[in-house]
Amino acid sequence: MKYKSQKVAYWFFVSCMALLALQIIYGFIMGFARIGYDVLHDWVPFNAARATHTNLLVVWLLTGFMGAAHYIIPEESQREIWSVKLAYVQLISLLVVGVIAIGGFHFNWWEGRKFLEIPRPLDYLVVVNVLAFLFNILMTVWKGNRFTTTSIVLTMGLLFAALLYLPGMIWFDNQTVDSFFRWYVVHLWVEGVWELIMGGILAYLLIKITGVDREVIEKWLYVIVGLTFLSGILGTGHHYYYIGTPSYWLWIGGIFGFLEIFAFLGMAVFAVVMYSKSGRNHPNKLALFWTLGCAITSFIGAGLLGAAHTLPQVNMYTHGTLVTAMHGHLAFWGAYAMLVLAIIAYAMPLMTGRKIYYNKIGIFAFWLSNIGMFGMTAALAVAGVAQVYLERIMGMDFLVVQKEVEIHFVVMLICAAIFTTGITLYIINFFKYGKPNEEALEGPDPIESDTPKKSFNSDVEVATV
């Protein structure tokens, strides 16, 4: 850790761990409700559990991105964060708004718009909060001693994410127009500007972990940004097929929606090629696992599984079914959740000075969470295909079909238990690092000092705790 103010990131990461754990709990509530054990229905009805589960996902990922920015931007800009106090105030206010929103869902205080359920008064507080965060980051970059492509792409992603929240706050009486602009937020976030954030964080991690020259990695970053804009913006059209918009969205959404696979393919190739050019055997193997895992899994979940049902001829049957849930689970896990877990795995040894690079808990956390998530994805895929056939082709009633596919949710719950074991181990490992301390600042960089130069045939001895 080079700058004292980078310690702020730790508290964002702590918040991430708490919000992720809470999201998993609500996932289990929904899973048991699916197989007939909806015992908490009087206190947590399914609609409230679903809204809480999806909104917690967004909040913990955003909190992770903010933590990553507070860690990365000072290093890239070569100066302390502009205002540490503002960073803490912004984090606390974000959590307060989040708690109020979740509480509101349980008392039917929400807008009922999928993925944008937060009540309008809280929307304004979110805007103020994000503006405070952006102001702090932009001032840090502006007053910094260095401008890098990595920091600019990351900052651009965060800035555009804030701007694209605004169309979702416009009130429309027409359902179609409302949905049209709602996807500006939802799609252009997760399949647009969040990819810029992903590219920025991924580039930073690859520069640090692989030792490949910054100039080479940042040239790849330009390609990633180009592919993201080329496909992501008009790719929004794959949400407009059958909601009352003009028919030209069928071919626009089909073509550009399919092209989105190349942005994620580029990201995966980018990470693997940079690793193959690695100039060092980095001791932080856990960070390397999460980084490469993020690039590859995002290609499978967001790229391949997304492309599999993005064409209008297919989407006509699959939209709104468990096939969408299958794609969503692996896409969010690979592209963004693993990314946040990667930057945390990289930053914690540097903030605390503790060399927990490659211990058994961390390894089990990686593999169990990934095996569990792939298992859940497979269970949802089988259930989704069955649902499409029975409901959309055979014309069976929705609730009858849900009963028919109930067994697949038993499988999903078993896989979710494996996933949860992995995440629990990750959280335990996280807290084993302890808090950031001044010694991490004063001493030599624990990773850089332990990092031998490139030697593909040598094993690196690392400390384990």
PDB file of all heavy atoms in Angstrom, residues 10 13-24 290 341 344 348 361-362 365-366 419-434:
ATOM      1  N   TYR A  10     -10.889  -0.545   2.611  1.00  0.00           N
ATOM      2  CA  TYR A  10     -11.169  -1.690   3.488  1.00  0.00           C
ATOM      3  C   TYR A  10     -12.613  -1.677   3.965  1.00  0.00           C
ATOM      4  O   TYR A  10     -13.293  -2.708   3.955  1.00  0.00           O
ATOM      5  CB  TYR A  10     -10.218  -1.654   4.685  1.00  0.00           C
ATOM      6  CG  TYR A  10     -10.544  -2.683   5.745  1.00  0.00           C
ATOM      7  CD1 TYR A  10     -10.194  -4.023   5.586  1.00  0.00           C
ATOM      8  CD2 TYR A  10     -11.219  -2.314   6.922  1.00  0.00           C
ATOM      9  CE1 TYR A  10     -10.502  -4.968   6.554  1.00  0.00           C
ATOM     10  CE2 TYR A  10     -11.530  -3.248   7.889  1.00  0.00           C
ATOM     11  CZ  TYR A  10     -11.169  -4.573   7.707  1.00  0.00           C
ATOM     12  OH  TYR A  10     -11.491  -5.504   8.673  1.00  0.00           O
ATOM     13  N   PHE A  13     -14.958  -2.756   1.423  1.00  0.00           N
ATOM     14  CA  PHE A  13     -14.892  -4.210   1.245  1.00  0.00           C
ATOM     15  C   PHE A  13     -15.611  -4.945   2.385  1.00  0.00           C
ATOM     16  O   PHE A  13     -16.266  -5.967   2.151  1.00  0.00           O
ATOM     17  CB  PHE A  13     -13.426  -4.665   1.168  1.00  0.00           C
ATOM     18  CG  PHE A  13     -12.680  -4.123  -0.032  1.00  0.00           C
ATOM     19  CD1 PHE A  13     -11.299  -3.969  -0.016  1.00  0.00           C
ATOM     20  CD2 PHE A  13     -13.374  -3.767  -1.185  1.00  0.00           C
ATOM     21  CE1 PHE A  13     -10.613  -3.480  -1.119  1.00  0.00           C
ATOM     22  CE2 PHE A  13     -12.699  -3.266  -2.308  1.00  0.00           C
ATOM     23  CZ  PHE A  13     -11.321  -3.127  -2.263  1.00  0.00           C
ATOM     24  N   VAL A  14     -15.493  -4.429   3.606  1.00  0.00           N
ATOM     25  CA  VAL A  14     -16.239  -5.021   4.724  1.00  0.00           C
ATOM     26  C   VAL A  14     -17.742  -4.957   4.439  1.00  0.00           C
ATOM     27  O   VAL A  14     -18.475  -5.936   4.649  1.00  0.00           O
ATOM     28  CB  VAL A  14     -15.918  -4.286   6.044  1.00  0.00           C
ATOM     29  CG1 VAL A  14     -16.884  -4.724   7.153  1.00  0.00           C
ATOM     30  CG2 VAL A  14     -14.488  -4.573   6.483  1.00  0.00           C
ATOM     31  N   SER A  15     -18.195  -3.825   3.963  1.00  0.00           N
ATOM     32  CA  SER A  15     -19.620  -3.648   3.623  1.00  0.00           C
ATOM     33  C   SER A  15     -20.027  -4.642   2.542  1.00  0.00           C
ATOM     34  O   SER A  15     -21.126  -5.204   2.572  1.00  0.00           O
ATOM     35  CB  SER A  15     -19.870  -2.219   3.141  1.00  0.00           C
ATOM     36  OG  SER A  15     -19.418  -1.289   4.099  1.00  0.00           O
ATOM     37  N   CYS A  16     -19.135  -4.858   1.574  1.00  0.00           N
ATOM     38  CA  CYS A  16     -19.397  -5.833   0.504  1.00  0.00           C
ATOM     39  C   CYS A  16     -19.673  -7.210   1.088  1.00  0.00           C
ATOM     40  O   CYS A  16     -20.621  -7.892   0.700  1.00  0.00           O
ATOM     41  CB  CYS A  16     -18.163  -5.968  -0.393  1.00  0.00           C
ATOM     42  SG  CYS A  16     -18.085  -4.815  -1.703  1.00  0.00           S
ATOM     43  N   MET A  17     -18.817  -7.621   2.022  1.00  0.00           N
ATOM     44  CA  MET A  17     -18.953  -8.958   2.603  1.00  0.00           C
ATOM     45  C   MET A  17     -20.301  -9.099   3.313  1.00  0.00           C
ATOM     46  O   MET A  17     -20.988 -10.118   3.191  1.00  0.00           O
ATOM     47  CB  MET A  17     -17.809  -9.216   3.593  1.00  0.00           C
ATOM     48  CG  MET A  17     -16.408  -9.214   3.002  1.00  0.00           C
ATOM     49  SD  MET A  17     -16.098 -10.542   1.822  1.00  0.00           S
ATOM     50  CE  MET A  17     -16.307  -9.684   0.275  1.00  0.00           C
ATOM     51  N   ALA A  18     -20.695  -8.057   4.058  1.00  0.00           N
ATOM     52  CA  ALA A  18     -21.967  -8.107   4.794  1.00  0.00           C
ATOM     53  C   ALA A  18     -23.163  -8.154   3.825  1.00  0.00           C
ATOM     54  O   ALA A  18     -24.095  -8.945   3.998  1.00  0.00           O
ATOM     55  CB  ALA A  18     -22.077  -6.895   5.711  1.00  0.00           C
ATOM     56  N   LEU A  19     -23.108  -7.318   2.790  1.00  0.00           N
ATOM     57  CA  LEU A  19     -24.226  -7.260   1.838  1.00  0.00           C
ATOM     58  C   LEU A  19     -24.317  -8.542   1.014  1.00  0.00           C
ATOM     59  O   LEU A  19     -25.418  -9.024   0.704  1.00  0.00           O
ATOM     60  CB  LEU A  19     -24.051  -6.043   0.918  1.00  0.00           C
ATOM     61  CG  LEU A  19     -24.164  -4.676   1.608  1.00  0.00           C
ATOM     62  CD1 LEU A  19     -23.694  -3.570   0.667  1.00  0.00           C
ATOM     63  CD2 LEU A  19     -25.585  -4.415   2.049  1.00  0.00           C
ATOM     64  N   LEU A  20     -23.166  -9.107   0.641  1.00  0.00           N
ATOM     65  CA  LEU A  20     -23.161 -10.371  -0.097  1.00  0.00           C
ATOM     66  C   LEU A  20     -23.779 -11.488   0.744  1.00  0.00           C
ATOM     67  O   LEU A  20     -24.593 -12.281   0.248  1.00  0.00           O
ATOM     68  CB  LEU A  20     -21.719 -10.730  -0.491  1.00  0.00           C
ATOM     69  CG  LEU A  20     -21.485 -12.132  -1.064  1.00  0.00           C
ATOM     70  CD1 LEU A  20     -22.328 -12.373  -2.313  1.00  0.00           C
ATOM     71  CD2 LEU A  20     -19.997 -12.333  -1.379  1.00  0.00           C
ATOM     72  N   ALA A  21     -23.397 -11.546   2.038  1.00  0.00           N
ATOM     73  CA  ALA A  21     -23.968 -12.571   2.923  1.00  0.00           C
ATOM     74  C   ALA A  21     -25.482 -12.418   3.014  1.00  0.00           C
ATOM     75  O   ALA A  21     -26.225 -13.410   2.959  1.00  0.00           O
ATOM     76  CB  ALA A  21     -23.326 -12.465   4.309  1.00  0.00           C
ATOM     77  N   LEU A  22     -25.936 -11.179   3.124  1.00  0.00           N
ATOM     78  CA  LEU A  22     -27.387 -10.925   3.223  1.00  0.00           C
ATOM     79  C   LEU A  22     -28.092 -11.320   1.928  1.00  0.00           C
ATOM     80  O   LEU A  22     -29.201 -11.879   1.950  1.00  0.00           O
ATOM     81  CB  LEU A  22     -27.610  -9.439   3.526  1.00  0.00           C
ATOM     82  CG  LEU A  22     -28.981  -9.043   4.084  1.00  0.00           C
ATOM     83  CD1 LEU A  22     -29.306  -9.819   5.354  1.00  0.00           C
ATOM     84  CD2 LEU A  22     -29.016  -7.540   4.363  1.00  0.00           C
ATOM     85  N   GLN A  23     -27.448 -11.044   0.797  1.00  0.00           N
ATOM     86  CA  GLN A  23     -28.056 -11.419  -0.490  1.00  0.00           C
ATOM     87  C   GLN A  23     -28.238 -12.933  -0.588  1.00  0.00           C
ATOM     88  O   GLN A  23     -29.260 -13.416  -1.080  1.00  0.00           O
ATOM     89  CB  GLN A  23     -27.174 -10.936  -1.650  1.00  0.00           C
ATOM     90  CG  GLN A  23     -27.861 -11.082  -2.995  1.00  0.00           C
ATOM     91  CD  GLN A  23     -26.899 -11.317  -4.147  1.00  0.00           C
ATOM     92  OE1 GLN A  23     -25.692 -11.290  -3.992  1.00  0.00           O
ATOM     93  NE2 GLN A  23     -27.451 -11.532  -5.317  1.00  0.00           N
ATOM     94  N   ILE A  24     -27.246 -13.677  -0.105  1.00  0.00           N
ATOM     95  CA  ILE A  24     -27.336 -15.142  -0.147  1.00  0.00           C
ATOM     96  C   ILE A  24     -28.477 -15.643   0.738  1.00  0.00           C
ATOM     97  O   ILE A  24     -29.213 -16.566   0.363  1.00  0.00           O
ATOM     98  CB  ILE A  24     -25.983 -15.749   0.279  1.00  0.00           C
ATOM     99  CG1 ILE A  24     -24.919 -15.456  -0.783  1.00  0.00           C
ATOM    100  CG2 ILE A  24     -26.107 -17.255   0.500  1.00  0.00           C
ATOM    101  CD1 ILE A  24     -23.512 -15.852  -0.398  1.00  0.00           C
ATOM    102  N   TRP A 290      -8.787 -15.456  -9.052  1.00  0.00           N
ATOM    103  CA  TRP A 290     -10.032 -14.697  -9.179  1.00  0.00           C
ATOM    104  C   TRP A 290     -10.024 -13.826 -10.432  1.00  0.00           C
ATOM    105  O   TRP A 290     -11.048 -13.646 -11.090  1.00  0.00           O
ATOM    106  CB  TRP A 290     -10.264 -13.835  -7.938  1.00  0.00           C
ATOM    107  CG  TRP A 290     -10.690 -14.616  -6.730  1.00  0.00           C
ATOM    108  CD1 TRP A 290      -9.947 -14.903  -5.617  1.00  0.00           C
ATOM    109  CD2 TRP A 290     -11.969 -15.246  -6.515  1.00  0.00           C
ATOM    110  NE1 TRP A 290     -10.679 -15.662  -4.733  1.00  0.00           N
ATOM    111  CE2 TRP A 290     -11.923 -15.880  -5.248  1.00  0.00           C
ATOM    112  CE3 TRP A 290     -13.145 -15.326  -7.262  1.00  0.00           C
ATOM    113  CZ2 TRP A 290     -13.011 -16.588  -4.719  1.00  0.00           C
ATOM    114  CZ3 TRP A 290     -14.224 -16.027  -6.734  1.00  0.00           C
ATOM    115  CH2 TRP A 290     -14.153 -16.646  -5.486  1.00  0.00           C
ATOM    116  N   LEU A 341     -14.255  -9.702  -5.905  1.00  0.00           N
ATOM    117  CA  LEU A 341     -13.510 -10.616  -5.030  1.00  0.00           C
ATOM    118  C   LEU A 341     -12.028 -10.659  -5.419  1.00  0.00           C
ATOM    119  O   LEU A 341     -11.151 -10.856  -4.573  1.00  0.00           O
ATOM    120  CB  LEU A 341     -14.128 -12.016  -5.091  1.00  0.00           C
ATOM    121  CG  LEU A 341     -15.602 -12.101  -4.628  1.00  0.00           C
ATOM    122  CD1 LEU A 341     -16.113 -13.533  -4.713  1.00  0.00           C
ATOM    123  CD2 LEU A 341     -15.778 -11.562  -3.213  1.00  0.00           C
ATOM    124  N   ILE A 344     -10.337  -7.458  -4.024  1.00  0.00           N
ATOM    125  CA  ILE A 344     -10.200  -7.600  -2.567  1.00  0.00           C
ATOM    126  C   ILE A 344      -9.044  -8.548  -2.245  1.00  0.00           C
ATOM    127  O   ILE A 344      -8.218  -8.275  -1.375  1.00  0.00           O
ATOM    128  CB  ILE A 344     -11.518  -8.110  -1.952  1.00  0.00           C
ATOM    129  CG1 ILE A 344     -12.618  -7.039  -2.075  1.00  0.00           C
ATOM    130  CG2 ILE A 344     -11.323  -8.489  -0.483  1.00  0.00           C
ATOM    131  CD1 ILE A 344     -13.989  -7.490  -1.615  1.00  0.00           C
ATOM    132  N   MET A 348      -5.977  -6.841  -0.023  1.00  0.00           N
ATOM    133  CA  MET A 348      -5.900  -7.097   1.416  1.00  0.00           C
ATOM    134  C   MET A 348      -4.477  -7.353   1.916  1.00  0.00           C
ATOM    135  O   MET A 348      -4.092  -6.797   2.960  1.00  0.00           O
ATOM    136  CB  MET A 348      -6.834  -8.247   1.789  1.00  0.00           C
ATOM    137  CG  MET A 348      -8.311  -7.866   1.782  1.00  0.00           C
ATOM    138  SD  MET A 348      -8.701  -6.469   2.861  1.00  0.00           S
ATOM    139  CE  MET A 348      -8.487  -7.216   4.468  1.00  0.00           C
ATOM    140  N   ILE A 361      -7.783 -22.252   2.907  1.00  0.00           N
ATOM    141  CA  ILE A 361      -9.126 -21.647   3.000  1.00  0.00           C
ATOM    142  C   ILE A 361      -9.442 -20.857   1.733  1.00  0.00           C
ATOM    143  O   ILE A 361     -10.526 -20.948   1.165  1.00  0.00           O
ATOM    144  CB  ILE A 361      -9.213 -20.730   4.248  1.00  0.00           C
ATOM    145  CG1 ILE A 361      -9.113 -21.557   5.521  1.00  0.00           C
ATOM    146  CG2 ILE A 361     -10.527 -19.946   4.241  1.00  0.00           C
ATOM    147  CD1 ILE A 361      -9.194 -20.730   6.792  1.00  0.00           C
ATOM    148  N   GLY A 362      -8.456 -20.085   1.286  1.00  0.00           N
ATOM    149  CA  GLY A 362      -8.666 -19.279   0.086  1.00  0.00           C
ATOM    150  C   GLY A 362      -8.886 -20.128  -1.159  1.00  0.00           C
ATOM    151  O   GLY A 362      -9.719 -19.810  -2.008  1.00  0.00           O
ATOM    152  N   ALA A 365     -12.269 -21.694  -0.970  1.00  0.00           N
ATOM    153  CA  ALA A 365     -13.277 -20.637  -1.209  1.00  0.00           C
ATOM    154  C   ALA A 365     -13.478 -20.435  -2.708  1.00  0.00           C
ATOM    155  O   ALA A 365     -14.613 -20.324  -3.195  1.00  0.00           O
ATOM    156  CB  ALA A 365     -12.838 -19.341  -0.547  1.00  0.00           C
ATOM    157  N   PHE A 366     -12.366 -20.392  -3.453  1.00  0.00           N
ATOM    158  CA  PHE A 366     -12.453 -20.171  -4.899  1.00  0.00           C
ATOM    159  C   PHE A 366     -13.188 -21.316  -5.588  1.00  0.00           C
ATOM    160  O   PHE A 366     -14.142 -21.107  -6.345  1.00  0.00           O
ATOM    161  CB  PHE A 366     -11.043 -20.014  -5.482  1.00  0.00           C
ATOM    162  CG  PHE A 366     -11.023 -19.876  -6.981  1.00  0.00           C
ATOM    163  CD1 PHE A 366     -11.261 -18.645  -7.580  1.00  0.00           C
ATOM    164  CD2 PHE A 366     -10.791 -20.984  -7.797  1.00  0.00           C
ATOM    165  CE1 PHE A 366     -11.260 -18.515  -8.963  1.00  0.00           C
ATOM    166  CE2 PHE A 366     -10.790 -20.861  -9.178  1.00  0.00           C
ATOM    167  CZ  PHE A 366     -11.025 -19.624  -9.759  1.00  0.00           C
ATOM    168  N   PHE A 419     -21.970 -23.369  -2.858  1.00  0.00           N
ATOM    169  CA  PHE A 419     -21.561 -21.993  -3.149  1.00  0.00           C
ATOM    170  C   PHE A 419     -21.403 -21.191  -1.850  1.00  0.00           C
ATOM    171  O   PHE A 419     -20.411 -20.475  -1.654  1.00  0.00           O
ATOM    172  CB  PHE A 419     -22.618 -21.343  -4.054  1.00  0.00           C
ATOM    173  CG  PHE A 419     -22.409 -19.876  -4.285  1.00  0.00           C
ATOM    174  CD1 PHE A 419     -21.470 -19.425  -5.193  1.00  0.00           C
ATOM    175  CD2 PHE A 419     -23.159 -18.927  -3.592  1.00  0.00           C
ATOM    176  CE1 PHE A 419     -21.271 -18.066  -5.407  1.00  0.00           C
ATOM    177  CE2 PHE A 419     -22.975 -17.574  -3.805  1.00  0.00           C
ATOM    178  CZ  PHE A 419     -22.033 -17.146  -4.715  1.00  0.00           C
ATOM    179  N   THR A 420     -22.384 -21.337  -0.957  1.00  0.00           N
ATOM    180  CA  THR A 420     -22.361 -20.580   0.294  1.00  0.00           C
ATOM    181  C   THR A 420     -21.181 -20.988   1.164  1.00  0.00           C
ATOM    182  O   THR A 420     -20.572 -20.141   1.836  1.00  0.00           O
ATOM    183  CB  THR A 420     -23.684 -20.807   1.059  1.00  0.00           C
ATOM    184  OG1 THR A 420     -24.769 -20.450   0.204  1.00  0.00           O
ATOM    185  CG2 THR A 420     -23.745 -19.962   2.315  1.00  0.00           C
ATOM    186  N   THR A 421     -20.837 -22.273   1.139  1.00  0.00           N
ATOM    187  CA  THR A 421     -19.655 -22.725   1.887  1.00  0.00           C
ATOM    188  C   THR A 421     -18.403 -22.015   1.365  1.00  0.00           C
ATOM    189  O   THR A 421     -17.562 -21.557   2.144  1.00  0.00           O
ATOM    190  CB  THR A 421     -19.485 -24.252   1.742  1.00  0.00           C
ATOM    191  OG1 THR A 421     -20.694 -24.890   2.161  1.00  0.00           O
ATOM    192  CG2 THR A 421     -18.322 -24.758   2.576  1.00  0.00           C
ATOM    193  N   GLY A 422     -18.300 -21.919   0.033  1.00  0.00           N
ATOM    194  CA  GLY A 422     -17.154 -21.223  -0.561  1.00  0.00           C
ATOM    195  C   GLY A 422     -17.112 -19.756  -0.162  1.00  0.00           C
ATOM    196  O   GLY A 422     -16.051 -19.229   0.210  1.00  0.00           O
ATOM    197  N   ILE A 423     -18.248 -19.088  -0.221  1.00  0.00           N
ATOM    198  CA  ILE A 423     -18.291 -17.657   0.133  1.00  0.00           C
ATOM    199  C   ILE A 423     -18.008 -17.470   1.624  1.00  0.00           C
ATOM    200  O   ILE A 423     -17.323 -16.515   2.019  1.00  0.00           O
ATOM    201  CB  ILE A 423     -19.663 -17.055  -0.237  1.00  0.00           C
ATOM    202  CG1 ILE A 423     -19.845 -17.053  -1.764  1.00  0.00           C
ATOM    203  CG2 ILE A 423     -19.801 -15.639   0.315  1.00  0.00           C
ATOM    204  CD1 ILE A 423     -18.814 -16.232  -2.529  1.00  0.00           C
ATOM    205  N   THR A 424     -18.527 -18.386   2.447  1.00  0.00           N
ATOM    206  CA  THR A 424     -18.249 -18.287   3.892  1.00  0.00           C
ATOM    207  C   THR A 424     -16.749 -18.387   4.156  1.00  0.00           C
ATOM    208  O   THR A 424     -16.189 -17.621   4.951  1.00  0.00           O
ATOM    209  CB  THR A 424     -18.990 -19.416   4.643  1.00  0.00           C
ATOM    210  OG1 THR A 424     -20.390 -19.322   4.362  1.00  0.00           O
ATOM    211  CG2 THR A 424     -18.764 -19.312   6.149  1.00  0.00           C
ATOM    212  N   LEU A 425     -16.085 -19.307   3.450  1.00  0.00           N
ATOM    213  CA  LEU A 425     -14.630 -19.439   3.610  1.00  0.00           C
ATOM    214  C   LEU A 425     -13.912 -18.175   3.133  1.00  0.00           C
ATOM    215  O   LEU A 425     -12.930 -17.741   3.740  1.00  0.00           O
ATOM    216  CB  LEU A 425     -14.124 -20.660   2.830  1.00  0.00           C
ATOM    217  CG  LEU A 425     -14.560 -22.024   3.373  1.00  0.00           C
ATOM    218  CD1 LEU A 425     -14.104 -23.145   2.439  1.00  0.00           C
ATOM    219  CD2 LEU A 425     -14.003 -22.249   4.773  1.00  0.00           C
ATOM    220  N   TYR A 426     -14.420 -17.589   2.051  1.00  0.00           N
ATOM    221  CA  TYR A 426     -13.808 -16.342   1.549  1.00  0.00           C
ATOM    222  C   TYR A 426     -13.912 -15.244   2.612  1.00  0.00           C
ATOM    223  O   TYR A 426     -12.954 -14.502   2.866  1.00  0.00           O
ATOM    224  CB  TYR A 426     -14.496 -15.896   0.258  1.00  0.00           C
ATOM    225  CG  TYR A 426     -13.835 -14.708  -0.397  1.00  0.00           C
ATOM    226  CD1 TYR A 426     -12.920 -14.882  -1.432  1.00  0.00           C
ATOM    227  CD2 TYR A 426     -14.096 -13.404   0.044  1.00  0.00           C
ATOM    228  CE1 TYR A 426     -12.294 -13.795  -2.016  1.00  0.00           C
ATOM    229  CE2 TYR A 426     -13.475 -12.311  -0.534  1.00  0.00           C
ATOM    230  CZ  TYR A 426     -12.568 -12.509  -1.568  1.00  0.00           C
ATOM    231  OH  TYR A 426     -11.940 -11.427  -2.134  1.00  0.00           O
ATOM    232  N   ILE A 427     -15.100 -15.152   3.222  1.00  0.00           N
ATOM    233  CA  ILE A 427     -15.307 -14.104   4.239  1.00  0.00           C
ATOM    234  C   ILE A 427     -14.429 -14.360   5.465  1.00  0.00           C
ATOM    235  O   ILE A 427     -13.848 -13.431   6.037  1.00  0.00           O
ATOM    236  CB  ILE A 427     -16.811 -14.036   4.616  1.00  0.00           C
ATOM    237  CG1 ILE A 427     -17.630 -13.554   3.417  1.00  0.00           C
ATOM    238  CG2 ILE A 427     -17.026 -13.105   5.810  1.00  0.00           C
ATOM    239  CD1 ILE A 427     -19.136 -13.602   3.614  1.00  0.00           C
ATOM    240  N   ILE A 428     -14.316 -15.640   5.860  1.00  0.00           N
ATOM    241  CA  ILE A 428     -13.437 -15.973   6.992  1.00  0.00           C
ATOM    242  C   ILE A 428     -12.000 -15.565   6.666  1.00  0.00           C
ATOM    243  O   ILE A 428     -11.299 -14.954   7.472  1.00  0.00           O
ATOM    244  CB  ILE A 428     -13.516 -17.488   7.298  1.00  0.00           C
ATOM    245  CG1 ILE A 428     -14.896 -17.829   7.881  1.00  0.00           C
ATOM    246  CG2 ILE A 428     -12.403 -17.909   8.258  1.00  0.00           C
ATOM    247  CD1 ILE A 428     -15.138 -19.325   8.019  1.00  0.00           C
ATOM    248  N   ASN A 429     -11.573 -15.897   5.446  1.00  0.00           N
ATOM    249  CA  ASN A 429     -10.215 -15.537   5.020  1.00  0.00           C
ATOM    250  C   ASN A 429     -10.029 -14.020   5.015  1.00  0.00           C
ATOM    251  O   ASN A 429      -8.969 -13.509   5.394  1.00  0.00           O
ATOM    252  CB  ASN A 429      -9.958 -16.099   3.620  1.00  0.00           C
ATOM    253  CG  ASN A 429      -8.495 -16.399   3.386  1.00  0.00           C
ATOM    254  OD1 ASN A 429      -7.787 -16.807   4.292  1.00  0.00           O
ATOM    255  ND2 ASN A 429      -8.035 -16.188   2.167  1.00  0.00           N
ATOM    256  N   PHE A 430     -11.065 -13.321   4.583  1.00  0.00           N
ATOM    257  CA  PHE A 430     -11.014 -11.852   4.542  1.00  0.00           C
ATOM    258  C   PHE A 430     -10.736 -11.285   5.927  1.00  0.00           C
ATOM    259  O   PHE A 430      -9.861 -10.432   6.115  1.00  0.00           O
ATOM    260  CB  PHE A 430     -12.346 -11.315   3.997  1.00  0.00           C
ATOM    261  CG  PHE A 430     -12.478  -9.825   4.047  1.00  0.00           C
ATOM    262  CD1 PHE A 430     -11.950  -9.033   3.040  1.00  0.00           C
ATOM    263  CD2 PHE A 430     -13.124  -9.200   5.110  1.00  0.00           C
ATOM    264  CE1 PHE A 430     -12.064  -7.649   3.081  1.00  0.00           C
ATOM    265  CE2 PHE A 430     -13.239  -7.823   5.165  1.00  0.00           C
ATOM    266  CZ  PHE A 430     -12.721  -7.044   4.145  1.00  0.00           C
ATOM    267  N   PHE A 431     -11.477 -11.782   6.923  1.00  0.00           N
ATOM    268  CA  PHE A 431     -11.316 -11.211   8.265  1.00  0.00           C
ATOM    269  C   PHE A 431     -10.044 -11.710   8.958  1.00  0.00           C
ATOM    270  O   PHE A 431      -9.606 -11.112   9.938  1.00  0.00           O
ATOM    271  CB  PHE A 431     -12.555 -11.510   9.107  1.00  0.00           C
ATOM    272  CG  PHE A 431     -13.721 -10.621   8.734  1.00  0.00           C
ATOM    273  CD1 PHE A 431     -14.807 -11.129   8.037  1.00  0.00           C
ATOM    274  CD2 PHE A 431     -13.707  -9.267   9.049  1.00  0.00           C
ATOM    275  CE1 PHE A 431     -15.870 -10.306   7.673  1.00  0.00           C
ATOM    276  CE2 PHE A 431     -14.762  -8.438   8.690  1.00  0.00           C
ATOM    277  CZ  PHE A 431     -15.847  -8.955   8.001  1.00  0.00           C
ATOM    278  N   LYS A 432      -9.438 -12.790   8.440  1.00  0.00           N
ATOM    279  CA  LYS A 432      -8.166 -13.240   9.004  1.00  0.00           C
ATOM    280  C   LYS A 432      -7.039 -12.243   8.729  1.00  0.00           C
ATOM    281  O   LYS A 432      -6.028 -12.218   9.426  1.00  0.00           O
ATOM    282  CB  LYS A 432      -7.776 -14.610   8.427  1.00  0.00           C
ATOM    283  CG  LYS A 432      -8.554 -15.767   9.049  1.00  0.00           C
ATOM    284  CD  LYS A 432      -8.126 -17.087   8.464  1.00  0.00           C
ATOM    285  CE  LYS A 432      -6.721 -17.453   8.914  1.00  0.00           C
ATOM    286  NZ  LYS A 432      -6.331 -18.797   8.459  1.00  0.00           N
ATOM    287  N   TYR A 433      -7.214 -11.419   7.697  1.00  0.00           N
ATOM    288  CA  TYR A 433      -6.195 -10.413   7.401  1.00  0.00           C
ATOM    289  C   TYR A 433      -6.103  -9.356   8.501  1.00  0.00           C
ATOM    290  O   TYR A 433      -5.069  -8.748   8.711  1.00  0.00           O
ATOM    291  CB  TYR A 433      -6.510  -9.698   6.086  1.00  0.00           C
ATOM    292  CG  TYR A 433      -6.161 -10.480   4.849  1.00  0.00           C
ATOM    293  CD1 TYR A 433      -7.146 -11.112   4.110  1.00  0.00           C
ATOM    294  CD2 TYR A 433      -4.843 -10.563   4.419  1.00  0.00           C
ATOM    295  CE1 TYR A 433      -6.834 -11.817   2.959  1.00  0.00           C
ATOM    296  CE2 TYR A 433      -4.520 -11.262   3.268  1.00  0.00           C
ATOM    297  CZ  TYR A 433      -5.520 -11.886   2.543  1.00  0.00           C
ATOM    298  OH  TYR A 433      -5.203 -12.579   1.412  1.00  0.00           O
ATOM    299  N   GLY A 434      -7.227  -9.139   9.183  1.00  0.00           N
ATOM    300  CA  GLY A 434      -7.263  -8.043  10.135  1.00  0.00           C
ATOM    301  C   GLY A 434      -7.461  -6.717   9.420  1.00  0.00           C
ATOM    302  O   GLY A 434      -7.765  -6.684   8.222  1.00  0.00           O
TER     303      GLY A 434
END
